[in-house]
Amino acid sequence: MRILSGIQPSGTMHIGNYLGAVRQWVSAQNPEAFYCVVDLHALTLQIEPERLRDQTVDCLAWLLAAGLDPEVCTIFVQSHVPYHSQMNWLLECVATYGELSRMTQFKEKASRQEGYRVGLLTYPVLMAGDILLYSTEEVPVGDDQIQHLELTRDIAERFNNRYGETFVVPVGVAAPTSARVMDFQDPTRKMSKSVASALGLIYLNDEASEIDKKIMKAVTDTDNEVRFDWEKKPGLSNLLEMFASFTGETPAGVAERYTRYGDLKKDLAEIVIDALTPIARRYREIRADEGELRTLAAHGAQKAMDVAGPLYRRAATAMGL
Ligand code: TYM
């Protein structure tokens, strides 16, 4: 199965990235799977150049620590494969301003800043190119990216109709549980690096005591009935989903076993600490050898170029270049 997915190197990974995306990547990895650290996407917001370079290497290390194996799948950095930028232009001439300006993420991010960059608007086109360059069949992502996947499908179909069959039309696949992990302090909002309060999200390198504190202080309601109900009990339901996604149960099944919020939170904290501690330990080992990480990225880029190059040339030729 040809798979591609990507993650922005915008700081330490959080538990939403892990449960919503990266854990799926690990179980789906195969010789036809491509996973990409999307450093070009990170340029849509202000980031210090040295920080971006550093965080790109950090992100590679986190992916390996989480269980991706470069002997099995291809792991690479987006900007190392220039076809992504080239394909972006071709597809910008297929996508329309109207459909880009309707994207929820664009509207949210643009509303939070003055003078936002054009890249913030065209970002989903770059993402479509990432996917289409690899004839991708499935894209494992968190729920917030599904709209971008729909746009990718529209762009691929429009291109194929206009210029002849060139692209595989991909499908986005969200995780069955925790596809949208919510902020612990505001469970109506997605857990996100850009808008989190200090206690709102768990990073993969949080100390056990921090994880414990964040879960114990997670906002719930006051009626004290343990029940899975997103509408009336978003805070509790967020915790139940997270619990279930670690243990393989259903959230409602977990709810049945508890009568008190405190007991549920205590057990969840233990489960999360047990799952994340070994990942953080592996991360520190892997991150210590930056030379090895760079070699791995160079090797991944070569494998990615071998697939993306011919597809780019086909698309360019089809358009008359
Ligand atoms: P990014 O870097 O914001 O997030 C990486 C992955 O983590 C998922 N995710 C979440 N899942 C559940 N709950 C959350 N709170 C949560 N926050 C983030 C995201 O859905 C994503 O799967 N545009 C993408 C990166 C990208 C990409 C691609 C993805 C660029 N090109 C091609 C797939 C295919 C992004 O910004 O993800």
Side-chain angles (χ1 to χ4, degrees):
M1 171 75 73
R2 181 60 65 84
I3 289 172
L4 179 133
S5 201
I7 181 164
Q8 294 196 50
S10 47
T12 305
M13 240 185 248
H14 58 72
I15 197 166
N17 299 132
Y18 179 65
L19 293 178
V22 174
R23 211 175 49 155
Q24 269 55 253
W25 303 4
V26 173
S27 50
Q29 64 183 322
N30 75 79
E32 297 282 305
F34 292 79
Y35 299 117
C36 162
V37 177
V38 293
D39 54 348
L40 296 172
H41 278 91
L43 295 175
T44 54
L45 299 175
Q46 181 54 30
I47 180 165
E48 288 304 312
E50 276 313 316
R51 253 189 91 197
L52 177 56
R53 251 188 295 277
D54 243 29
Q55 289 180 180
T56 300
V57 183
D58 291 349
C59 196
L60 286 169
W62 278 116
L63 293 178
L64 298 178
L68 288 187
D69 180 352
E71 302 282 321
V72 175
C73 62
T74 302
I75 306 166
F76 68 103
V77 176
Q78 186 184 31
S79 69
H80 296 180
V81 180
Y83 300 116
H84 290 251
S85 308
Q86 289 178 276
M87 183 62 98
N88 177 55
W89 179 252
L90 303 191
L91 298 183
E92 279 195 21
C93 296
V94 176
T96 68
Y97 175 79
E99 60 195 351
L100 293 180
S101 59
R102 282 194 295 274
M103 291 292 116
T104 308
Q105 276 211 344
F106 165 69
K107 288 195 284 190
E108 274 173 18
K109 289 189 179 167
S111 71
R112 289 204 298 267
Q113 50 183 304
E114 297 260 305
Y116 54 81
R117 299 158 195 214
V118 177
L120 201 61
L121 175 72
T122 58
Y123 166 117
V125 182
L126 181 61
M127 176 166 163
D130 300 340
I131 297 166
L132 299 179
L133 272 174
Y134 296 84
S135 302
T136 304
E137 295 161 279
E138 279 193 4
V139 187
V141 280
D143 182 58
D144 62 324
Q145 297 299 320
I146 291 293
Q147 193 185 35
H148 293 160
L149 257 299
E150 291 305 316
L151 176 74
T152 302
R153 292 168 57 83
D154 290 347
I155 291 175
E157 279 166 4
R158 194 174 311 145
F159 188 104
N160 288 346
N161 286 335
R162 208 175 274 170
Y163 301 108
E165 280 302 314
T166 306
F167 296 130
V168 170
V169 180
V171 285
V173 186
T177 47
S178 288
R180 179 178 288 255
V181 177
M182 307 308 271
D183 188 290
F184 288 137
Q185 290 299 309
D186 177 359
T188 60
R189 208 176 56 192
K190 183 188 77 172
M191 183 181 281
S192 154
K193 281 168 270 199
S194 45
V195 280
S197 56
L199 291 173
L201 85 180
I202 289 177
Y203 291 104
L204 296 201
N205 64 350
D206 276 350
E207 297 287 336
S209 59
E210 288 171 288
I211 295 175
D212 191 66
K213 184 167 88 186
K214 289 173 180 177
I215 292 178
M216 294 313 288
K217 287 189 184 259
V219 167
T220 45
D221 49 76
T222 49
D223 85 3
N224 259 317
E225 187 197 347
V226 180
R227 181 160 51 84
F228 183 57
D229 180 345
W230 268 112
E231 210 160 291
K232 300 219 172 64
K233 292 171 165 282
L236 188 72
S237 300
N238 192 35
L239 300 179
L240 288 168
E241 279 230 12
M242 187 174 286
F243 198 121
S245 104
F246 278 112
T247 62
E249 295 164 274
T250 62
V254 176
E256 274 175 21
R257 295 197 280 108
Y258 288 91
T259 50
R260 289 152 58 126
Y261 291 2
D263 296 339
L264 169 78
K265 285 178 165 181
K266 212 163 137 267
D267 288 353
L268 176 61
E270 209 175 294
I271 288 169
V272 173
I273 291 165
D274 282 352
L276 300 192
T277 307
I279 298 179
R281 190 180 332 110
R282 278 199 297 278
Y283 167 78
R284 287 190 293 274
E285 284 164 21
I286 294 167
R287 187 65 181 85
D289 192 347
E290 189 157 332
E292 176 66 25
L293 285 164
R294 291 195 185 281
T295 305
L296 179 148
H299 183 62
Q302 197 50 55
K303 287 205 293 182
M305 297 267 263
D306 291 345
V307 177
L311 218 282
Y312 171 74
R313 282 187 288 276
R314 259 181 73 194
T317 305
M319 290 181 95
L321 301 179

